[in-house]
Amino acid sequence: QAVNLASNVTGTLATGNGGTGATSFAPGKIGQVIQTHFNTNTAYDFGANTYGELTEFRTSITPSATSSKVLINVNMCFGFESDSMPIFKMQRDSTDLPVGNTYGSYSPSARQGMFTNYYRASNEDLGVMLASFSYLDSPSSTSSLQYEIHGNNRGSNNKDIRLNAPHSYSNWGDNNSSGHTSSMILME
């Protein structure tokens, strides 16, 4: 005998039979989207094995519930000095979000990061790199939260990076200039 599932089945399918035990589902939703977007070109010199904030990325969000998650999307255009190998990390209210393992002979706090982007070429200071990164945070808070990007350069030499332009940029319109944009997007 056939059973009409649309009209003759009610109740909950037991978890032992493949069900979830739930009688209804509330679909997920995006509560808010906050974006910081900029095209300024700023040079940063962090010093040797020292992190410094890239202040243009500073973005805040206030979650609506302690159970909310915050999805962070970063798109960063940057140029760098030859042989600098920049590395980046993210912070929420001055607390590091999970970072990777240390590599090489550098101190752990100085060389751990969430993402890096590096290439070797004869004219490294003429290029612009794009680093894209996403992270899903569970802040357990309904207070205003500030997310930041911090950068660091390798080794004992002070090497700098330049946001949204090649390292060798001098003036808009010269042969080494280019207009790029970077952004941070927070979604609850």
Side-chain angles (χ1 to χ4, degrees), residues 13-25:
L13 181 59
T15 56
N17 293 328
T20 63
T23 57
S24 67
F25 293 91

Side-chain angles (χ1 to χ4, degrees), residues 13-65:
L13 181 59
T15 56
N17 293 328
T20 63
T23 57
S24 67
F25 293 91
K29 65 178 182 173
I30 296 175
Q32 58 180 315
V33 177
I34 310 291
Q35 174 179 286
T36 297
H37 182 266
F38 60 94
N39 64 1
T40 54
N41 107 43
T42 307
Y44 285 94
D45 183 348
F46 306 115
N49 288 320
T50 303
Y51 272 101
E53 182 187 358
L54 287 81
T55 56
E56 289 89 345
F57 285 99
R58 193 179 297 162
T59 308
S60 296
I61 191 169
T62 304
S64 60

Side-chain angles (χ1 to χ4, degrees), residues 89-124:
K89 68 180 179 179
M90 190 178 303
Q91 288 188 341
R92 178 195 352 103
D93 291 339
S94 302
T95 300
D96 287 353
L97 295 176
V99 297
N101 293 327
T102 296
Y103 59 92
S105 60
Y106 303 105
S107 64
S109 62
R111 294 307 299 161
Q112 288 180 327
M114 294 183 94
F115 61 99
T116 188
N117 206 340
Y118 180 66
Y119 68 96
R120 298 286 284 176
S122 59
N123 292 317
E124 294 170 354

Side-chain angles (χ1 to χ4, degrees), residues 56-79:
E56 289 89 345
F57 285 99
R58 193 179 297 162
T59 308
S60 296
I61 191 169
T62 304
S64 60
T66 56
S67 60
S68 293
K69 295 188 182 304
V70 177
L71 178 63
I72 304 116
N73 291 309
V74 176
N75 291 296
M76 177 192 307
C77 290
F78 63 97

Side-chain angles (χ1 to χ4, degrees), residues 4 138 147:
N4 182 334
S138 300
Y147 289 89

Side-chain angles (χ1 to χ4, degrees), residues 113 164 171:
N164 297 325
N171 290 303

